[in-house]
Amino acid sequence: MSHPAARPSAATLAVSPSPFPGSPFPLGATVTDQGTNFAVVADGHPTDGGDGGSAVQLCLVDRLGTERRLAMTELTYGIWHTFVPGIGPGQRYGYRVAATDPAKILLDPYARRVDTTDYDLDAAASAGVDTGGRVPLGVVTAPVRSVSAAPSIPWEHTVVYEAHVRGLTRSHPGVPPELRGSYAGVAHPAVIEHLQALHVTALELLPVHAHADEPPLAAAGRPNYWGYSTLGYFAPHPGYASRPGAELDEFVAMVDALHDAGIEVLLDVVFNHTCEGGPDRPITLSLRGLSPGTYYLPGRDLTGTGNTVNSGPLEVIRLVTDSLRYWAGDLGVDGFRFDLAPVLGRPGGGPFDPASALLTAIEADPLLSRRKIIAEPWDATGDGYALGRFRSTWAEWNDRFRGTVRDFWRGATGVRDLAYRLSGSEDVFGDGRRPWSSVNFVTAHDGFTLRDLVSYSRKHNQANGQRGADGSDDNRSANYGVEGDGTADRPLDPSILAVRTRQARNLAATLLLATGTPMICAGDELWRTQGGNNNAYCLDSPQVWLDWAALSHTASGDGQAPADPAPAMLAFFRRLLQIRADAPALHQGEFFSGRSPASGDGVADLMWFAPTGEPMTDADWFDPNRHTLLMWLNGHDVRGHGPHGEPLIDDSWLVVLHAGPSDADVTLPGAPYGEAYTPVVDTASPTGEPADDAPVSAGVAMTLPGRTLWLLRAHRTSDTA
């Protein structure tokens, strides 16, 4: 990758001593009325020598690329620091460190802005080659703060929508072209209205920390579209600003706009590795040149990227927690999803320890402990699989939910594990935790979209440039007769499309009706496809951007799959999420116990029934060929509370799931569970709206079509007693 064309080549003024000692805290570049304090962790001692007699030099770079070097002589607590009068916002700067490679100008990891994320790969990877004018620099920045009130949505009422800043808005017809793909685009009313219509409560954004393409991608001329290649942990990614240099202001304005709409902002953060590559081709942009022995784990790769941040040293703990506090405190972020989170609990590369210093520091922090924190509970090694092992403050991505639900609906498993997933995965999170600890998902950015999950039996990743070798082979998907979407010459058979869309609705309904915290992958509600690519991390094209065509069409609710399923799929998601939002029994804050509620109706809070309408037996649970399950929820005493601590009362509900391809006879449970049942959701309908919503008497045998989910409202004598 070449350095930016607009950047002039560097010239260097003579080295001079730094004028004032300054302070070691806060780290980074801190503006005052008199100038700017600079503080950075770097190797070396004041007596190590080098140009100007100092081991570390502060480099101030003007708009012409001229570099003024100041020898830093103050070292306190392992932190180099100086104060430079007259320096204010807009000043570009970096550091040179004699102990590593003084030819490299280094980005301050605490920089609030970076001037670019481009770099000259050959220069950055070659020892002794000067990188002045060829790599990113920090930009001194005045404080910027969010002014909005956080929505503070209780965990049990949270619905997460996972999206990419650029992909979410790049093709949105309601967003002005100049704002598409930016923070300002996400803040546009057209996007916020879509999120509100879906009834999602939290927007989780793929990495927005400034990121750069790691060496293999840079050499191939491909972008790291997802952004899991961090360059700076304090700077918003400049490529997501609609105007050059406006990324910080636009990010905060986006947060404030979402907060005003009642939507929280969660960030996907990558503290386990950086963009600086691995042993095959390391590059020196920041941490590797400042203090590689401090920041990186030697000899072990826990991330599969070539480098691993060592979570043990104090300097790393401080870097991570300072970054999190900055985004949560100054910029208003409501929570974080930690990529490969077990790495943060494996100091020195040892076994996972949920009580490790870094994880404890996050949980103990008075600000961060009041934010939502979510772990991706695995890393790139077998030893790093830690699902259910984080402490009670954490929620976790539950891949067992994903695998079980996918397997059930393709007929590959019975119902025993499904019951655990539907009721909050107490077998995983029951030790002092809550159902919301389970972040339930069927699809995510990493893997098939919902549409592709029911359209492809194998991955199609040739566009990634790795000959299809990348991406998971364990997709638990099905194509229902033909691979992909057909062509103009050989269009898809309508019967195949019908079963695919029904299966997609079944998967989505199971996600949205299960106890726990549901996470929706952006675009699933719009019937988005990536053409079978399950690892589209290096594509930035319409293949990965959301297609908003569904907004301009009307959904059909006549029971027949329309030629374009997208509008109906959008209507289906909106309907299910509205029902979930209105029914607290479907998103309870505590695990079920089997006890009778406080109302004293003598009926358990949760019951499981076989298709006969009788309670499940051990033989039923252990039958691998059983593909039908009835879950009954007592709404008279909902576990959890409202936003102000008030008790919650709801209707009772019956969820009927049938994954078999053929019709099944089902008898609805009788008293005291229900005298009659009103159909509310039927996945045989493109929009989920039942063709007939007349109440059905209990005890009546009904024919449940193959591959169908029903949600019914139970009418009980005690409801009117």
Side-chain angles (χ1 to χ4, degrees), residues 289-560:
L290 290 168
S291 185
T294 298
Y295 289 111
Y296 289 118
L297 185 66
R300 293 202 66 187
D301 180 7
L302 307 181
T303 67
T305 67
N307 71 65
T308 300
V309 173
N310 187 358
S311 64
L314 170 63
E315 293 84 355
V316 174
I317 295 171
R318 183 181 288 139
L319 172 68
V320 173
T321 53
D322 284 353
S323 169
L324 294 171
R325 277 191 297 271
Y326 173 67
W327 289 89
D330 286 23
L331 306 189
V333 170
D334 303 282
F336 305 91
R337 178 265 189 190
F338 291 80
D339 179 67
L340 304 186
V343 173
L344 280 60
R346 302 182 65 182
F352 173 71
D353 178 9
S356 70
L358 177 51
L359 296 180
T360 298
I362 293 170
E363 293 180 88
D365 186 274
L367 173 61
L368 302 179
S369 62
R370 292 182 284 116
R371 297 296 188 263
K372 290 183 168 72
I373 53 176
I374 304 169
E376 180 185 40
W378 50 81
D379 58 30
T381 72
D383 293 338
Y385 187 78
L387 178 67
R389 297 171 58 195
F390 284 77
R391 296 196 293 196
S392 59
T393 309
W394 293 79
E396 301 177 34
W397 272 27
N398 188 351
D399 64 323
R400 287 188 62 181
F401 184 96
R402 174 183 60 186
T404 296
V405 172
R406 288 185 178 191
D407 278 344
F408 174 75
W409 283 111
R410 66 191 182 101
T413 186
V415 298
R416 184 159 59 102
D417 200 53
L418 178 68
Y420 281 116
R421 306 309 139 233
L422 289 171
S423 56
S425 294
E426 188 173 8
D427 59 327
V428 178
F429 302 104
D431 186 12
R433 301 175 75 178
R434 299 290 182 88
W436 52 256
S437 300
S438 177
V439 176
N440 299 333
F441 66 106
V442 174
T443 58
H445 72 275
D446 185 2
F448 280 146
T449 67
L450 182 63
R451 175 173 172 177
D452 290 352
L453 185 62
V454 296
S455 302
Y456 295 89
S457 61
R458 64 184 187 279
K459 66 187 181 186
H460 295 263
N461 295 1
Q462 289 76 11
N464 299 348
Q466 300 179 47
R467 300 181 179 179
D470 63 303
S472 175
D473 292 313
D474 182 21
N475 296 296
R476 308 187 191 193
S477 61
N479 63 26
Y480 301 100
V482 64
E483 191 77 352
D485 288 334
T487 64
D489 295 335
R490 301 184 66 180
L492 190 66
D493 188 305
S495 65
I496 294 177
L497 178 59
V499 70
R500 287 180 178 179
T501 53
R502 181 182 290 207
Q503 286 290 70
R505 292 190 293 271
N506 288 330
L507 291 160
T510 307
L511 169 67
L512 300 178
L513 298 177
T515 301
T517 303
M519 184 185 77
I520 302 164
C521 183
D524 279 351
E525 79 281 12
L526 302 171
W527 198 232
R528 182 174 76 93
T529 179
Q530 292 182 167
N533 193 318
N534 74 350
N535 190 39
Y537 75 104
C538 60
L539 304 180
D540 185 3
S541 70
Q543 184 173 352
V544 295
W545 304 336
L546 269 63
D547 181 353
W548 293 92
L551 297 180
S552 60
H553 298 87
T554 301
S556 169
D558 60 4
Q560 301 297 316

Side-chain angles (χ1 to χ4, degrees), residues 165-402:
V165 169
R166 181 167 169 80
L168 179 63
T169 64
R170 184 63 180 82
S171 299
H172 198 303
V175 175
E178 65 273 15
L179 301 183
R180 293 175 188 169
S182 70
Y183 303 117
V186 176
H188 192 273
V191 176
I192 291 179
E193 288 167 7
H194 175 73
L195 299 176
Q196 289 177 313
L198 278 178
H199 302 281
V200 298
T201 69
L203 176 62
E204 180 178 307
L205 295 173
L206 268 65
V208 300
H209 287 162
H211 49 265
D213 303 332
E214 58 270 47
L217 286 179
R222 294 177 177 274
N224 190 314
Y225 171 71
W226 285 349
Y228 291 90
S229 52
T230 307
L231 172 67
Y233 287 114
F234 288 76
H237 188 61
Y240 298 154
S242 67
R243 296 177 290 109
E247 58 268 22
L248 194 52
D249 290 331
E250 285 191 13
F251 180 86
V252 169
M254 175 194 72
V255 170
D256 289 344
L258 288 162
H259 281 179
D260 291 344
I263 298 170
E264 294 182 318
V265 178
L266 312 179
L267 299 185
D268 198 334
V269 289
V270 188
F271 291 108
N272 60 82
H273 73 281
T274 73
C275 66
E276 292 189 300
D280 55 335
R281 195 172 191 185
I283 57 172
T284 302
L285 298 174
S286 183
L287 301 182
R288 179 167 277 120
L290 290 168
S291 185
T294 298
Y295 289 111
Y296 289 118
L297 185 66
R300 293 202 66 187
D301 180 7
L302 307 181
T303 67
T305 67
N307 71 65
T308 300
V309 173
N310 187 358
S311 64
L314 170 63
E315 293 84 355
V316 174
I317 295 171
R318 183 181 288 139
L319 172 68
V320 173
T321 53
D322 284 353
S323 169
L324 294 171
R325 277 191 297 271
Y326 173 67
W327 289 89
D330 286 23
L331 306 189
V333 170
D334 303 282
F336 305 91
R337 178 265 189 190
F338 291 80
D339 179 67
L340 304 186
V343 173
L344 280 60
R346 302 182 65 182
F352 173 71
D353 178 9
S356 70
L358 177 51
L359 296 180
T360 298
I362 293 170
E363 293 180 88
D365 186 274
L367 173 61
L368 302 179
S369 62
R370 292 182 284 116
R371 297 296 188 263
K372 290 183 168 72
I373 53 176
I374 304 169
E376 180 185 40
W378 50 81
D379 58 30
T381 72
D383 293 338
Y385 187 78
L387 178 67
R389 297 171 58 195
F390 284 77
R391 296 196 293 196
S392 59
T393 309
W394 293 79
E396 301 177 34
W397 272 27
N398 188 351
D399 64 323
R400 287 188 62 181
F401 184 96
R402 174 183 60 186

